[in-house]
């Protein structure tokens, strides 16, 4: 039976690797650099505002600090897979639009190698580059040019960037643990800019296709120190670090013109093509993370994180927007009435609430985008088991600057994950 479980999980993991992972939400910021960066963390973490650097949970995988893997129960196995849905509403001061999409969010597994050593691995999205914008220029448009005439423009982004991690942690002392993740980043972003002139019989239309592919490896390092204050009460301090790293990337751009006459030399006609590949052409920034949690075992938990990423030192091939350092503050709490109640389902529910505030890494028209939001969620533990179904929601506002042509966005996200917990390495006394 256990072999069948392992086989099923392996099949699910390979299926997830084949998934695109791209969320088709139309975002104004998807057209710049890496696009929209995805919040990082399990659904438990995201429901608590994104906190996770000092979390230690025996049946959850907290990959943002690999030192947490040593908290997994001996002889246990944890498997977590989640989906989420997002609705993005864009407001540029004149027009409003919205888009909704559901997609794969994460797949993770973890288990202990010994009483002091734990390992984990998973697949999570890093960024999303989808957007779609159209515009029709007519005689009444303020930027109408009689020489060009009326035309329609189309701008579309596709693709995403994904991170795969595998890590190990060890309890160095009773209260001190350390861990390391090896992360592999890969993906491809595509951007189309197309202009179709209404006078198609006497003029050429034009488009350009841009593609950025990236691949490479890096490492995350983590530390956690925790101890009891008095009976059942505890405090944990955590920190993790990701160093700046050069990645191999390829940026290519193809410009063409075309007409209604679909034969050479009229259409299509390549105007230019360029492609550049180098192992150090894209550089991701250093990131420092610090956090703490305080709580009562199996009852309540309060935590907060501070994260800074030095995006001003990063570079991205084909980047069209500036980048600046980011600072993020997250805080959240969890409350469980009676975690091990076998008679009252409602008492086993885990309630979570949190909030976050940060700055976006993009600098557009010399302006920064401020982000802030609220989150929450619940987890339903199955009877006579530590397995659970976890749900979270998040409402985030990205403040734009309409006077500088930067629209604001309101993002509502909700997700559901199944967290399976089992003792796979115990020899059964009875079948």
């Amino acid at each position: 039976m256990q072999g069948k479980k392992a086989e099923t999980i392996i099949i699910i993991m390979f299926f997830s690797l084949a998934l695109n992972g791209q969320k088709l939400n139309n975002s104004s910021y998807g057209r710049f650099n890496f696009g929209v960066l995805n919040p990082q963390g399990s659904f438990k973490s995201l429901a608590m505002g994104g906190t996770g650097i000092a979390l230690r949970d025996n049946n959850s995988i907290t990959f943002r600090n690999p030192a947490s893997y040593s908290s997994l129960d001996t002889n246990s196995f944890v498997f977590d897979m989640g989906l989420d849905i997002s609705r993005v509403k864009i407001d540029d001061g004149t027009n409003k639009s919205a888009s909704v999409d559901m997609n794969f969010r994460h797949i993770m597994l973890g288990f202990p190698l010994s009483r002091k050593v734990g390992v984990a691995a998973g697949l999570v999205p890093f960024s999303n580059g989808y957007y779609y914008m159209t515009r029709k220029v007519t005689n009444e448009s303020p930027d109408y040019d009689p020489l060009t005439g009326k035309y329609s423009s189309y701008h579309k982004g596709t693709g995403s960037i994904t991170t795969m991690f595998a890590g190990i942690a060890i309890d160095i002392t009773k209260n001190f643990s350390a861990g390391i993740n090896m992360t592999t980043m890969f993906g491809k972003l595509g951007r189309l800019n197309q202009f179709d002139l209404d006078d198609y019989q006497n003029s050429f239309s034009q488009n350009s296709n841009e593609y950025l592919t990236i691949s490479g490896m890096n490492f995350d390092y983590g530390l956690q120190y925790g101890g009891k204050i008095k009976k059942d009460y505890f405090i944990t301090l955590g920190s993790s670090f990701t160093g700046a790293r050069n990645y191999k990337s390829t940026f290519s751009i193809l410009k063409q013109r075309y007409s209604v006459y679909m034969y050479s030399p009229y259409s299509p006609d390549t105007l230019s093509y360029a492609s550049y590949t180098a192992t150090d052409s894209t550089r991701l920034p250093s990131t420092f993370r610090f956090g703490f949690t305080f709580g009562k075992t199996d009852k309540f938990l309060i935590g907060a994180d501070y994260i800074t990423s030095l995006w001003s030192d990063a570079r991205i091939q084909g980047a069209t927007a500036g980048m600046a350092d980011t600072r993020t503050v997250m805080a959240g709490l969890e409350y469980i009435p009676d975690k091990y109640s076998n008679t009252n389902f409602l008492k086993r529910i885990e309630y979570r609430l949190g909030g976050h505030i940060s700055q976006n890494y993009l600098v557009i028209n010399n302006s920064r985008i401020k982000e802030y939001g609220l989150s929450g969620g619940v987890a339903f533990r199955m009877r006579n088991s530590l397995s659970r179904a976890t749900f979270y929601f998040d409402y985030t506002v990205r403040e734009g600057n309409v006077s500088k042509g930067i629209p604001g966005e309101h993002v509502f996200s909700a997700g559901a994950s199944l967290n399976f917990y089992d003792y796979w390495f115990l020899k059964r006394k009875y079948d």
Side-chain angles (χ1 to χ4, degrees):
M1 184 66 179
Q2 293 175 359
K4 290 183 179 179
K5 288 182 180 178
E7 182 179 311
T8 300
I9 287 181
I10 291 172
I11 291 173
I12 292 174
M13 288 192 68
F14 276 103
F15 173 74
S16 298
L17 284 172
L19 291 176
N20 178 298
Q22 181 185 7
K23 187 175 291 295
L24 303 181
N25 284 121
N26 189 14
S27 172
S28 310
Y29 310 113
R31 65 185 303 189
F32 302 106
N33 301 359
F34 277 143
V36 179
L37 302 184
N38 287 284
Q40 299 294 297
S42 65
F43 284 178
K44 173 178 180 175
S45 172
L46 295 179
M48 297 173 62
T51 58
I53 307 307
L55 283 179
R56 289 183 68 82
D57 191 337
N58 63 347
N59 61 342
S60 293
I61 300 170
T62 310
F63 64 89
R64 294 175 66 211
N65 189 341
S68 66
Y69 304 155
S70 62
S71 66
L72 295 172
D73 280 342
T74 305
N75 298 321
S76 67
F77 191 97
V78 178
F79 175 76
D80 194 330
M81 183 174 70
L83 302 172
D84 72 352
I85 183 171
S86 293
R87 181 180 188 270
V88 178
K89 181 180 178 181
I90 303 174
D91 185 355
D92 64 3
T94 303
N95 302 304
K96 296 181 180 180
S97 64
S99 62
V100 180
D101 191 56
M102 177 185 292
N103 215 310
F104 159 77
R105 189 60 173 80
H106 67 258
I107 183 169
M108 300 181 288
L109 60 86
F111 55 88
L113 294 180
S114 69
R115 188 170 60 87
K116 295 185 177 181
V117 181
V119 297
L123 190 71
V124 294
F126 176 76
S127 73
N128 172 47
Y130 180 82
Y131 62 90
Y132 183 69
M133 295 177 285
T134 64
R135 184 168 181 264
K136 178 71 175 179
V137 175
T138 65
N139 298 11
E140 290 76 29
S141 300
D143 55 347
Y144 173 76
D145 185 344
L147 184 63
T148 304
K150 295 182 289 184
Y151 68 91
S152 299
S153 64
Y154 305 88
H155 307 276
K156 184 177 182 179
T158 58
S160 60
I161 298 175
T162 301
T163 298
M164 185 187 306
F165 71 90
I168 186 170
I170 182 171
D171 285 338
I172 299 174
T173 68
K174 180 181 178 180
N175 304 107
F176 187 71
S177 62
I180 183 172
N181 273 337
M182 180 181 71
T183 62
T184 301
M185 182 175 290
F186 57 92
K188 182 177 183 179
L189 300 175
R191 294 181 174 116
L192 168 68
N193 299 296
Q194 181 172 314
F195 300 88
D196 291 338
L197 278 66
D198 281 18
D199 186 14
Y200 55 85
Q201 290 184 329
N202 299 305
S203 59
F204 287 95
S205 296
Q206 183 172 316
N207 66 38
S208 67
N209 284 281
E210 302 176 7
Y211 295 98
L212 172 67
T213 60
I214 181 174
S215 62
M217 294 174 54
N218 203 354
F219 294 91
D220 305 324
Y221 307 92
L223 299 172
Q224 285 186 334
Y225 180 86
K228 290 186 177 180
I229 301 175
K230 60 180 182 177
K231 185 179 179 180
D232 294 333
Y233 289 88
F234 65 89
I235 187 170
T236 304
L237 304 176
S239 65
S240 65
F241 167 72
T242 304
R245 189 78 170 185
N246 292 333
Y247 287 78
K248 179 181 179 180
S249 65
T250 299
F251 179 73
S252 60
I253 179 168
L254 171 66
K255 295 184 178 181
Q256 294 179 309
R257 66 177 185 177
Y258 54 94
S259 71
V260 294
Y261 306 107
M262 299 302 295
Y263 53 86
S264 181
Y266 300 104
S267 184
D269 180 21
T270 298
L271 299 178
S272 65
Y273 173 76
S275 180
Y276 178 73
T277 301
T279 57
D280 59 352
S281 50
T282 293
R283 183 175 179 82
L284 266 67
S286 300
T287 299
F288 302 85
R289 311 174 189 90
F290 307 93
F292 83 92
T293 56
F294 166 77
K296 184 178 181 180
T297 303
D298 297 330
K299 197 65 177 179
F300 75 87
L301 178 71
I302 299 172
D305 287 354
Y306 173 79
I307 301 175
T308 182
S309 295
L310 307 182
W311 280 97
S312 60
D313 294 331
R315 62 177 181 272
I316 302 172
Q317 271 216 94
T320 56
M323 294 178 286
D325 298 345
T326 61
R327 295 172 178 82
T328 304
V329 176
M330 310 167 179
L333 58 89
E334 175 186 69
Y335 174 71
I336 311 172
D338 187 352
K339 185 173 183 177
Y340 299 103
S341 173
N342 285 321
T343 59
N344 191 322
F345 170 76
L346 295 178
K347 288 185 177 181
R348 297 198 305 270
I349 297 177
E350 303 169 6
Y351 301 91
R352 297 170 185 134
L353 188 66
H356 53 91
I357 183 169
S358 64
Q359 290 178 309
N360 197 287
Y361 77 110
L362 296 172
V363 179
I364 304 173
N365 295 336
N366 295 318
S367 290
R368 299 290 305 276
I369 298 98
K370 184 179 180 181
E371 299 184 7
Y372 52 88
L374 295 173
S375 62
V378 294
F380 302 101
R381 190 174 68 83
M382 302 174 191
R383 187 175 182 180
N384 299 322
S385 171
L386 290 178
S387 298
R388 58 194 175 188
T390 301
F391 301 88
Y392 94 97
F393 70 86
D394 179 89
Y395 176 68
T396 295
V397 176
R398 299 187 183 117
E399 285 190 346
N401 189 329
V402 176
S403 64
K404 293 189 176 182
I406 306 172
E409 294 186 351
H410 297 257
V411 185
F412 181 83
S413 301
S417 69
L418 291 177
N419 181 277
F420 296 102
Y421 178 98
D422 202 356
Y423 292 100
W424 281 28
F425 304 102
L426 288 178
K427 184 177 181 180
R428 295 181 182 274
K429 188 174 182 180
Y430 302 102
D431 290 327

